[in-house]
Amino acid sequence: MNKSLLMTTLCLTSIYVTRAGENRLIDDFYVMAISPDGRYAVSQGYTGLTFMDLSDSRTVSFDSDDNTEYTVGFGNSVTLDGRFVGSATAGDGLLDLAGLYDGNSWVTICPQSAYETSYAWGITPDGRRICGIVSNPDNISGTDGLLRVPAIWEDLNADGVYEITLLPHPDTDFTGRPLQYATAVSISDDGRTVAGQITDHSGMMNSPIIYRQNADGEWSYTILGEELINPAHTEFGPEPVRPEPTDYMDAAQKAAYEKALNGGQKPTAEDYMSAEKREQYRADATAYNEESKAYRQLVRDVISASVKFDFNNVVMSGNGRYYASGAVGEEGYDFRPYVFDITDGTHRRFDLDAEPRCAISDGTVTASTDIYTTPMRSFILTPEASAFVPLEDYVKTEDESVYRWMAENLSHDFTVVDPESGEESVIRDLIATGHAFISSDRARIIGAQWCLWDDGDGMVPYQTYVLYLPSHSAIKGIESDPADISVTVTGSGMLTLTGNVSSLEIHDPAGRRLYTKANPSATVTPGLGHGTYIISAYAADGRGCVKKVMF
C-alpha cells in the first residue's frame, strides 16, 4: 500500500472535553469501539474514523475520500496503549486491506500481494495478536469453496511486523455444501481464543464458532450451539445437478451450437439435439426442476427451524469465556440475545429485542435495540442478574448522581409511529442511551446515540456520552478467595502468585488499569515505579484475590 496516500488523510486535532472521570457528552463522535479500560475510543462517522484518548481529548482523524475508506474492526479492536485495527480500501481495484493504527500512522498488516482482500477485526490488549479474515487463496474464481477464511496475525518479535496464520475451520454446512464464510471477529486477552461465525452455503444462516490454541500451539475449532442448527437432524443427499444441454449433443452439434453462441446469437440448445436426445433432455430437466424445488424447500425448512445470528455480531469477554450474539428472524423480535459459556458450551436466551454490543470477563453483557428503532436504547446483563435491565436503571442502582446526570443530559422527547395503526405519539423525557460499551472493570460506560431531536438540515447529528461509575473500580465487586489464590510482594516491584491464576491486573488507586497479563508465571515483574497499587489475580472461573500493595 502507498503509505503516503493514507497519511494525507491523517490529521491531529483537539476537541475540548472535560477532564477524565467526569460524565460528559462529545458531539460529532459516534463510538463504535473502546479499549478494555475505557481510555481510548474510536468513532465511525459520516466522514471517516476518529480515534480519541478520553483522558486528555486528543484525537486523530482518518478521513475517507473517493480513494480511501477506513473502517474499524467489528470485534474488540482497540488496545490498552492506544492502537486499533480495521481495514482501508486501497491498492488495485480499491480493495479492502487489513490495517493497524500503530499510534503514529496507519500501517497495512496484510498486503494485497499476499491476499486480495483482508479485514482486521480484533486485537489483544497488548497488540501482539490480531484476528480477522482474508480472501480464500484456494478460491480465486469464487466458485471453489469459502469466499473468506479466518486468520490470525502475530507480532512475534514485538517489532510491529505481523506474520499470518490461517485458522482451521469447517468447509461445509449442514447440507454438506461449501460454506460461504468462516470468520474471526473477537480475540481473548491472551490471544488463544478467537470468536467468529460460519455462514452457510445459502448465506442465510450465521452460526457461532470459536477457535482455540492449545499448549502446543495447535489450533482447533468448535461450533457453539450445534443443537441450534438443524435441530431435527434432517439428512441431505447430494444437491440436484442441473442437466447440461451440451451433454445431449454429439461433437458436430456441440460445435455448431457453440459457434452460434460465440457469434453473438441466442441459439436454442434443443435445436442442436437429435429428437431422441431432446426428449431425454426434457425429461431430465423436468426431474431436476422437481428435485431442486424439493431440495430448496428442505433447506428453507431447516433454516427456518434453526437459530440464525446477525452477521458479524460477535462479542467475547476478555478471558475468552463468554460469547454473545443476537439471533435474527425469531417471531416478534428484530434481535434476541444469546450468551454462551464457552467453558461448557451452554447458552442462555433472553426475551429482549436487542443485540449484544460488549461482554466482559465477569459475565456482564451490554445490548442495544436495532439502529432503526426510535429511540435506540441500551440494556445491561450483570453476573448476578437473570435478565437484562435498561442501562439507566442499572446506573441508578450503582450511582444516583450519575443517573441524575443522565436524566438531565440524555432525556429527550421522541415521536414514534404505531406499526399497525400508523398513528403517531410522543414519548416525553426518555433517557436516550443508544448503544453502549462498558470497560472491563465496569467503571466506565461509553455509548453513542443519534440526535433524532435535532435533524433540521436532514443530516442527523450524533454524539457520544461517557459515564464514570467510581463505585465499580478494581477495588470493589470482586469475590476474594485467598485460600485458592494469593499475591505477595517478594522484592522491589516483584510479585509472587500462588494458585491457578489465569489473569493478572494492576490498577492505581483511582481505578486506572496499568498492567495486564494472561496466564502469568508464578513470578511477575510488572515494571512499575514506586507507589501504591491494587493487584487483582483472577482464576479461570472469575473468582479472584484483590490486594493493595506498595512497591
Side-chain angles (χ1 to χ4, degrees):
M1 177 180 293
N2 187 340
K3 193 172 181 179
S4 62
L5 169 66
L6 298 180
M7 285 304 296
T8 59
T9 65
L10 266 173
C11 60
L12 186 63
T13 60
S14 179
I15 298 175
Y16 176 77
V17 292
T18 52
R19 63 180 176 83
E22 186 173 330
N23 308 316
R24 60 197 185 275
L25 290 171
I26 307 172
D27 291 330
D28 301 320
F29 193 87
Y30 194 81
V31 64
M32 291 297 291
I34 68 170
S35 59
D37 58 359
R39 173 176 174 176
Y40 301 102
V42 181
S43 165
Q44 183 107 39
Y46 287 128
T47 59
L49 299 181
T50 302
F51 176 78
M52 179 179 285
D53 184 339
L54 295 173
S55 70
D56 58 17
S57 78
R58 290 181 300 168
T59 65
V60 179
S61 297
F62 301 80
D63 296 329
S64 298
D65 55 33
D66 292 339
N67 296 315
T68 306
E69 181 178 356
Y70 297 90
T71 56
V72 65
F74 289 112
N76 51 327
S77 52
V78 188
T79 67
L80 284 170
D81 60 0
R83 294 175 284 169
F84 74 91
V85 294
S87 61
T89 54
D92 295 338
L94 297 180
L95 298 172
D96 291 308
L97 299 177
L100 162 75
Y101 171 61
D102 65 2
N104 296 300
S105 61
W106 185 269
V107 178
T108 299
I109 64 169
C110 192
Q112 191 175 359
S113 58
Y115 297 92
E116 189 175 40
T117 58
S118 55
Y119 304 83
W121 283 342
I123 188 168
T124 55
D126 62 6
R128 294 295 294 271
R129 287 189 174 188
I130 295 170
C131 70
I133 60 172
V134 297
S135 51
N136 186 358
D138 297 327
N139 187 19
I140 301 301
S141 66
T143 59
D144 301 316
L146 282 73
L147 299 174
R148 301 286 185 269
V149 292
I152 192 165
W153 292 268
E154 186 170 7
D155 184 359
L156 296 171
N157 301 313
D159 57 1
V161 178
Y162 288 85
E163 296 187 13
I164 188 171
T165 298
L166 299 185
L167 296 174
H169 54 80
D171 294 312
T172 57
D173 67 5
F174 62 91
T175 67
R177 298 179 298 174
L179 292 168
Q180 276 199 19
Y181 298 103
T183 67
V185 180
S186 292
I187 189 167
S188 63
D189 289 351
D190 63 5
R192 299 172 71 88
T193 302
V194 175
Q197 291 178 329
I198 52 174
T199 303
D200 80 309
H201 184 81
S202 72
M204 297 176 62
M205 186 166 70
N206 306 297
S207 304
I209 187 172
I210 58 169
Y211 315 86
R212 285 183 282 199
Q213 186 182 39
N214 63 21
D216 296 326
E218 299 170 338
W219 287 92
S220 62
Y221 65 84
T222 301
I223 298 173
L224 292 177
E226 283 194 281
E227 69 278 8
L228 306 176
I229 305 171
N230 191 7
H233 305 291
T234 301
E235 295 185 0
F236 286 82
E239 183 177 14
V241 178
R242 183 190 302 274
E244 177 58 48
T246 54
D247 291 340
Y248 298 79
M249 304 174 187
D250 60 27
Q253 292 168 335
K254 181 178 179 181
Y257 171 73
E258 291 179 343
K259 181 179 179 180
L261 192 65
N262 295 331
Q265 302 178 38
K266 296 182 179 179
T268 299
E270 291 186 14
D271 293 342
Y272 295 81
M273 302 175 188
S274 67
E276 180 181 357
K277 290 293 185 180
R278 185 182 304 118
E279 290 303 315
Q280 181 182 347
Y281 170 71
R282 289 175 177 175
D284 291 348
T286 298
Y288 163 77
N289 289 335
E290 293 175 352
E291 293 170 3
S292 180
K293 181 179 179 181
Y295 184 92
R296 293 195 305 270
Q297 184 60 53
L298 190 61
V299 171
R300 286 193 293 268
D301 290 344
V302 170
I303 290 176
S304 178
S306 301
V307 177
K308 302 165 286 295
F309 292 90
D310 192 25
F311 187 51
N312 285 336
N313 178 224
V314 176
V315 298
M316 184 173 65
S317 59
N319 60 358
R321 177 172 180 176
Y322 300 102
Y323 178 118
S325 186
V328 297
E330 296 192 10
E331 185 175 357
Y333 291 85
D334 290 322
F335 300 105
R336 192 193 289 253
Y338 279 67
V339 178
F340 294 84
D341 188 330
I342 296 174
T343 59
D344 59 16
T346 59
H347 71 270
R348 292 184 291 167
R349 184 183 70 169
F350 297 90
D351 290 324
L352 176 72
D353 200 342
E355 184 174 48
R357 295 291 178 183
C358 180
I360 59 177
S361 294
D362 68 357
T364 297
V365 179
T366 66
S368 65
T369 55
D370 183 71
I371 190 172
Y372 299 108
T373 302
T374 303
M376 190 176 178
R377 301 182 64 195
S378 280
F379 300 82
I380 188 168
L381 173 74
T382 55
E384 60 273 11
S386 59
F388 283 84
V389 298
L391 182 65
E392 62 270 27
D393 292 352
Y394 165 77
V395 171
K396 188 174 185 178
T397 63
E398 293 297 309
D399 193 309
E400 183 73 30
S401 66
V402 179
Y403 173 78
R404 288 196 299 270
W405 183 93
M406 294 178 71
E408 293 171 2
N409 293 273
L410 302 181
S411 294
H412 300 278
D413 296 341
F414 293 90
T415 300
V416 297
V417 179
D418 185 284
E420 295 184 1
S421 67
E423 295 182 359
E424 292 187 353
S425 60
V426 178
I427 303 176
R428 303 283 183 190
D429 296 322
L430 180 71
I431 297 177
T433 49
H435 69 238
F437 303 88
I438 191 167
S439 61
S440 60
D441 57 5
R442 287 205 271 172
R444 183 172 292 177
I445 295 173
I446 304 170
Q449 57 186 339
W450 291 95
C451 306
L452 300 176
W453 56 90
D454 184 22
D455 60 348
D457 61 357
M459 294 287 286
V460 180
Y462 43 80
Q463 64 183 191
T464 285
Y465 60 88
V466 181
L467 308 178
Y468 184 66
L469 297 172
S471 62
H472 263 287
S473 69
I475 305 173
K476 181 183 175 183
I478 302 174
E479 180 183 352
S480 180
D481 191 353
D484 292 342
I485 292 175
S486 66
V487 180
T488 56
V489 178
T490 55
S492 179
M494 182 180 296
L495 302 174
T496 295
L497 312 177
T498 59
N500 188 18
V501 179
S502 64
S503 64
L504 177 70
E505 295 181 358
I506 302 178
H507 297 73
D508 66 15
R512 290 183 290 267
R513 185 159 63 175
L514 307 175
Y515 177 87
T516 182
K517 180 70 175 177
N519 299 313
S521 58
T523 302
V524 177
T525 305
L528 300 174
H530 295 292
T532 301
Y533 301 97
I534 309 300
I535 312 297
S536 305
Y538 301 94
D541 61 5
R543 294 179 301 112
C545 172
V546 179
K547 191 169 187 178
K548 185 177 181 180
V549 303
M550 294 183 65
F551 289 161

